[in-house]
Amino acid sequence: MSDSAAPAVEAAGAPAGSVDVVSPDAQLAQDVPAQMEIVLLIPAQSFVAVPHLTATPKAGSPDVLELPINIAPSEATVAELRQLITENPEGFWLGSFGLVPVEAKQVKAAEGESPAEWGPWSKLEAPEQSSSADPVDPTMWRYTGEGVLGDFMDLSAVFSGVADGVRRGLQVVPTSFAPLSISLHLLRVRDTLYSSLSLLSDSVSYDPSSIAIGAGASLYVDVCGKPDVAASVEVEAEDVKGKKGKTTKKEEPAAPASAAESTPAAPVEHPFTNWTLDDLTSSGYLEKLRPSSTSALSTPCLKSFGISPWSPPPHPRRMRGDLAYLVITTLEGETFHITGATSGFWVSRGGASNFDPLPRVPAPKGLKATPYHSLFELFVALSPLFHKSLVQLLKSQNPVHDSQSELFAALPITHATPAAPWMVPAPVHSSDPFRTQLAYLLTGATTAELLPPARDWNDEITQYRALPQKNLPERLLRERQITRVQADFVSAATRGALSIARGDVPPLNPSEPEEAHTFMTNNMLFTRADDALGAHAHIGGNEASRVAASKDLAGVNLLERIDDAEINSMLTVLVDYCGERWVVQSLLPGLFRTKEDDEALKKEGGDAEKPYPVYPVDSAEERKAADAAQKADKPYPSLETPSKDDYPSCGVFRIAYGSGNPEQPDEKIRSSAYFHLLAKRVGEQLKLAEHNVYDRDGNASKLWTSADMHGIAAPDGRSYFIDCYRLHCVDVEFLENQLDGPLVSDIADSHVNGVHTPASYPHRLPLLRVELLEAYRQTKLGEWVEERAKEIQARSAKKAASEPAAGSIESELKEAASDEKKEEKVEEEDASSKYIHADDFHLEFNPDAFVERKSSSHLAYDPEEESTKNVRLASKFLREVALPHFVVQLVTSASNHTDGIYLTKQMHEAGINMRYLGILAGVVDNEGPTLEYGRSVSKAEVLYHLRLINNTLQHEMVIRASKHILRRLLKASATYDHPALIAHFYNCLLGTSLEPKPSPELIPLPAGVSSERLWASLTPASIRDQIVSEVESRFRYSLPTSFFTSELVANKVLRELSLRVGVQLAVREYNFGSADAVPAVEEEKVEAAPETPAADKKKKKKKAATKVEKVAVASSREQAKVTFLAEDVLNIMPIVRTTVHHSDLADDQFAIGYQQLAEGKIELGAELIQDAFTLYEQIFGSVHPEAAQRYHRIGLLYNQLASAAIRKVHLHEVGEMALKDLNDKPADYEYSEQEKEAKRQAESFLIAEPELVRQQVEAHLNQAVRMLRESVVISERVNGLDAAETIQQYTDLSLLELHSGNPKAALPLAKHALALWSAVYGVKHHSVVTLLGHVATMVQSLQDHSASVPVLLECRAALEALYGRESINFAVNEKSLAEAFAVTGQLAECLPYAKEAARLYSQLLGAEARDTVEMTQLSLAVENAIAREGQEKKANEERLKKKFPKLMEGRVAKPKAGVAASTSTAPAVEAVAAAKKEHGQKASQGLSVDELVNFIQGPAPRSSKKKTNSPPARS
């Protein structure tokens, strides 16, 4: 059952995060109504057992369930409460019902008896309606004709007359069915029967009409190991066949848990038991993608369920109450025709061949004679197997262990585009009559003419943007409506683009070329992003048009961020599908003018070529004014119209700002005064300058925006800006120097295809990102502030030097002669000169600077303007400053820069365009080693990260080049060839190790079709040549000759290319030809890590098992001998790009709450954060990228608060121990000054209530874990199952589970994160070894130190492969191994690792470093312990020889590989104790906080040092 609650409603006992309308702003609390508790009285059903009900039976009346909820009466509607009831397990079965208000008074208890109880419920009587009463009186309410409340009745008015101390309730009362209610009941039945199926299931949940397969899926529940619910109810459902209302009393068995507890000495099995690096493959992730036994129902409840072909009812039967006819087939194989009427449902006499909707007489066995008010009740009576399956279904939908994260996995995604995996299980198509009948149920339409009219998207969004924003409710309503319309538009635009691509919609201009076709459906305008009219022929044609469409979307996003009600833009969506880019926009009023409009205008005396408005049409004066305006080419009635009131309220679609003729931009420039005011607001927000624009005649016009951006005076009286791509300035340095500039290469004179002249950049429309302009402006602002500060200091110094000395005669005379007013004036001047105001800094940019005009030789801009020069300076700033700074940022942050999609996001945030990938790679190669990175990163780590970044940049260039090539191939081919085309392209690019010369799979062409099929002639060599040429052209970079043979990471390219194009492949492991298909990133090979015989034997077994598995998987494909087949390509989904709405209301609330939490104001901060989440949920829905990001941030903040509290408790315990030792002295003991200082410091560590702080630690950790769990689920559903954000959140969640003391839950999460890394990139990545180090800590927490040794050994091998043996990372792992062996008493194994760690620390950190000293002391202590043990053993043997010479004769000592723990534990403890003693003596000499802690505790824990020395993890 869906657990989505209606707005403003919170069920009692619901998990945290449920919707609860509470004011997030204390200042606006009076605008939000107070909440009240209302009890929902729901009738209890007896035909099926529903587990885990949240409602309780009413005392003395078991037939009624009481469900208390908290609501804001004026915010919640009756319709929302009815939806809440049907979505809860108590009321899922209900048919048509209404709500009746009731009340219950408290019954006083007699003396000595139990506390007072509530009396019976009584119905509230509606107030009498007076004829003189105000019809809109809010205190008046009434019942409907059926005696229930209307759907939108104000509940605050209903319960306004109920006194305090009286329980309020709403009782569920059955009502007669209506066409709408019966349709909703049918949909509810269908959703209930199939809602528990996973989105990745291959069962009947698959919807072939969906845009993508498995969109919005989550694997979190499977990763955590959710128990098999079906098995748990097997016994319970066994005896319910044919027994209505009877359930067994057996509970879920607890035997496994008790069995586990009875053998505590057995080794604890965990996900990393017998784990090796060979197991680090993508198979674990792929296994999760395959549907499991618990992700889909093994047995459905019905074989078929749908609308009968006899529907809709004929007029005579409709007059008698018939509403719908159904047909079902039960699991027993019986088919029943059911009539749905106003009174309920019954089995009819009719069948497939005869129509008779009357009740069957006699009724089937077990059925009552009267109609059933619920289909669930009828189906249970008809089919015992339905009863059995329904019990199992309800058990799985409402498990007792449901958590908040599972709730988010089931909630619908309403305001975001669900993320779809690129690998999905092949769906199994099944028969579902409802699939084609949903439109009928939702709309009641049986033909296209009867469908509801299309929505006016443009009018809706402009009206909602114009809503008032004076208080919180108004702002909330406005943002909710805006996000809802935008989400609906994106969904409708995507489906419309797919319909047009399939040819379902005819074009408006069929006589024109196909590239120029324009489509209109659902009040949306669809065009291809092609240069059909030649508007961009001079700057690149189709390539420039694609870029302009993308930048236009970005410009619309900027206008929406300004959020000015008077500045309107078209709703815009870009849909990339099968090689085509579709631009979808809302229709502007007056955009299309018909011939009839022109003829009517001519009759009025106008010119059809240049229409103008004349209102009123019969006014000679108005006509004269319009004629004058037309001749002057000015907006009517005047160019200098300062007020919107004087602007024509309606008229013809007209350009009032910008170039008057888009095809000839220099012909005339229009600058309406009103639009100039609007453009000024845009320019001030985006730091654009007011500048001169010159037409072909040299006439100058003042504009704030570019002349290519047009202001439209629409007939609806609103003002619109279109063609917003010119809000971005030109990248003039790239335009002048890089279009045909030299290539960049990491290896000199290295070209895959030899010496040649590379092609030019594809277009001449390189634009700067707004983020880059802002970064440049901030840099200049900082320099300006420094200069101003120096000026103020110099002026102050000069003034001080010129002033006479204080107390001198000159100073006294000057003071006496000064005037008061003069003094005040001087004080004001001094005050103004002491402060620096950022508003005094001015740096703007000219959007028309360096724009190339079509067929025009003159400059439309002034090259001497300061704003024009700033554009060039910003372009230089990108190359000279932004690129090197970005490289430093990547290296020092150690973020996930191996994922191309995440790298793109990072580059865009830094203001760097993707065309700079090649130049950025050159910066990494040439300037990277010489850049300043600070002391936090070692030189070896810098070199490693530079190699990794360079490899990622090369992959990103190859992936983008491949995307463009594949896009052109898909665009030029027919749809039926797409699977074979994609498979052949992938084989040529990635599968050459398996088949060097792959052949395409060609299907016969349809009759009468002749096609060349150019894609079939592709070869691996030709594709590589095209990729190399594309990389050289688009990124000005020459790939090294070895890239395709040794550097290409096949699984990374496959994943990212599929995501960019929208390809969905079948889930399986694709054989790329060899085990070393994934190349190493490092430049030189390193020696393999030494293996013990046991570990080597274990790895051989693993390799053998893996080999057998791969052979079994590939056995069915041996004949193909290629990596990809056409049948592997399951779907091509559209790639949708749209504007992103941000809620300032929720963001501000979140920022305030975050700050309060960070400052330690926990209660206030938590309340504000919860209110912010409520706002996010109401505006964006429960599942949205904004929610995932915020949950993640708050989870990490709670973890930081817990860490700070832990440190307080730790210092408190240290202080207590220190005081105990210091106070344990004789009464006459004289403390030294050093001991007194130590005592004072120890007392400063104490806290007042340590137990309370410990409770805060637990609460903070629980909150952090809960937030991270929710963020993981949401991120999976909206960002992607293997997105960079999802992997990071899985990693963070595993660490939080470990910190909260739950290593058993942390290990599966960490293993899944490792599997994701393997699938996304490969094994050789720094994040993998970092996570392995954390896994060792998790295993150690779960068992002991010895259990972590195998993981540390595998981590050692990975570190050696990545960083080499001579690295600090390798040294840290050696130290961890030495400590693990020492603690477990394996001294012989400990010694070599301790010595190696001491050597590396001495070499890398110096002999005096703390780590060096500790490892040296440990190795010496272990050596002494081993030597002492050997001497004792030798002496013991000598004594035995003397005492028993015959027994010891001929006996040869057999040395073992290691020393037993029982014989070496004591020396190990002594060695460690000795090391601690020396360390304690050394620490006792200082009195700092850290040294005092070490004096008590000894060396710092291993994990903290490892975290310090390892590459930092991304936060």
Side-chain angles (χ1 to χ4, degrees), residues 818-836:
S818 61
D819 185 70
E820 273 188 21
K821 295 183 179 179
K822 188 175 180 181
E823 286 182 1
E824 292 177 0
K825 185 176 180 182
V826 170
E827 288 178 3
E828 292 177 0
E829 291 178 356
D830 291 344
S832 62
S833 63
K834 290 180 181 178
Y835 298 99
I836 302 175

Side-chain angles (χ1 to χ4, degrees), residues 35-259:
Q35 290 194 347
M36 66 172 62
E37 182 182 87
I38 294 180
V39 180
L40 299 178
L41 304 176
I42 306 173
Q45 50 83 22
S46 58
F47 57 86
V48 65
V50 181
H52 316 309
L53 295 177
T54 57
T56 57
K58 182 181 180 300
S61 180
D63 295 335
V64 177
L65 300 176
E66 294 185 352
L67 178 64
I69 61 172
N70 294 318
I71 65 171
S74 62
E75 296 290 335
T77 63
V78 174
E80 291 172 340
L81 292 178
R82 291 173 57 217
Q83 180 184 355
L84 173 66
I85 292 172
T86 57
E87 289 178 347
N88 274 272
E90 293 84 358
F92 78 96
W93 59 278
L94 292 172
S96 178
F97 66 92
L99 297 178
V100 174
V102 292
E103 65 177 359
K105 298 181 180 180
Q106 198 171 29
V107 179
K108 294 183 179 180
E111 294 184 4
E113 295 184 0
S114 60
E117 297 181 353
W118 296 104
W121 292 99
S122 60
K123 179 180 177 181
L124 291 180
E125 297 296 334
E128 296 183 3
Q129 304 295 325
S130 175
S131 58
S132 61
D134 187 353
V136 293
D137 186 357
T139 62
M140 302 299 292
W141 60 277
R142 61 184 61 85
Y143 289 111
T144 64
E146 292 190 290
V148 296
L149 296 177
D151 283 347
F152 300 98
M153 183 63 65
D154 187 1
L155 294 179
S156 60
V158 173
F159 292 107
S160 60
V162 179
D164 295 337
V166 178
R167 294 186 79 187
R168 302 171 179 88
L170 290 171
Q171 186 171 8
V172 173
V173 176
T175 58
S176 59
F177 281 97
L180 177 60
S181 58
I182 202 168
S183 297
L184 293 177
H185 184 59
L186 293 177
L187 293 174
R188 185 64 194 166
V189 171
R190 182 178 185 269
D191 291 343
T192 302
L193 297 182
Y194 303 125
S195 63
S196 69
L197 298 177
S198 168
L199 292 171
L200 292 174
S201 171
D202 57 358
S203 186
V204 292
S205 64
Y206 166 67
D207 182 9
S209 65
S210 60
I211 294 175
I213 304 173
S218 173
L219 300 177
Y220 174 77
V221 176
D222 293 332
V223 172
C224 294
K226 182 176 180 179
D228 191 347
V229 179
S232 65
V233 299
E234 186 74 25
V235 178
E236 183 177 355
E238 185 66 29
D239 299 328
V240 300
K241 184 176 180 180
K243 299 179 181 180
K244 296 186 293 181
K246 295 183 180 180
T247 57
T248 61
K249 298 182 179 179
K250 297 181 180 180
E251 300 292 337
E252 296 183 11
S258 60

Side-chain angles (χ1 to χ4, degrees), residues 1304-1338:
K1304 191 173 183 180
L1307 286 170
L1309 298 170
K1311 188 171 184 179
H1312 184 65
L1314 289 172
L1316 288 176
W1317 270 119
S1318 179
V1320 169
Y1321 179 79
V1323 180
K1324 298 181 179 180
H1325 194 276
H1326 63 277
S1327 297
V1328 172
V1329 295
T1330 302
L1331 189 53
L1332 279 177
H1334 295 311
V1335 168
T1337 307
M1338 297 174 192

Side-chain angles (χ1 to χ4, degrees), residues 351 473 607 1145 1476 1496:
D607 185 359
L1145 174 63
K1476 284 191 175 184
I1496 303 298

